[in-house]
Amino acid sequence: AISGSNCIVFGSTDGMAGYPVEFNVQLADQYGNNVTNPSPMPSIVVNVSGPQKVSGSATYLQSGIYLLQFQVNISGTYSV
């Protein structure tokens, strides 16, 4: 089973208000092993907290890796 607490987030760690931010998530199981062929395809939910409510999109790339994209229009610190 996929474990959200063991998934690995990598990519951009900074961004600029008004421009898209993107990063990747590698799915992992409860033992920390990469999930490279998820079946069935899971729904991805990412919580982002910060000065503005954020919505975005998740696109499956390959080998259990998703591309996550969002945009903020208010500068500040956001946590994923």
Side-chain angles (χ1 to χ4, degrees):
I2 295 171
S3 169
S5 61
N6 287 332
C7 292
I8 300 168
V9 177
F10 57 98
S12 179
T13 57
D14 58 359
M16 184 178 292
Y19 293 91
V21 174
E22 56 184 43
F23 53 93
N24 296 308
V25 173
Q26 169 66 63
L27 303 181
D29 66 16
Q30 65 268 29
Y31 306 108
N33 300 308
N34 288 349
V35 175
T36 58
N37 190 16
S39 181
M41 197 62 68
S43 296
I44 300 294
V45 176
V46 177
N47 296 313
V48 179
S49 61
Q52 170 189 358
K53 185 176 180 176
V54 175
S55 63
S57 64
T59 305
Y60 184 71
L61 298 177
Q62 64 181 5
S63 303
I65 298 175
Y66 279 82
L67 171 66
L68 305 175
Q69 299 173 304
F70 64 93
Q71 181 171 320
V72 298
N73 296 312
I74 298 173
S75 63
T77 301
Y78 293 81
S79 299
V80 177

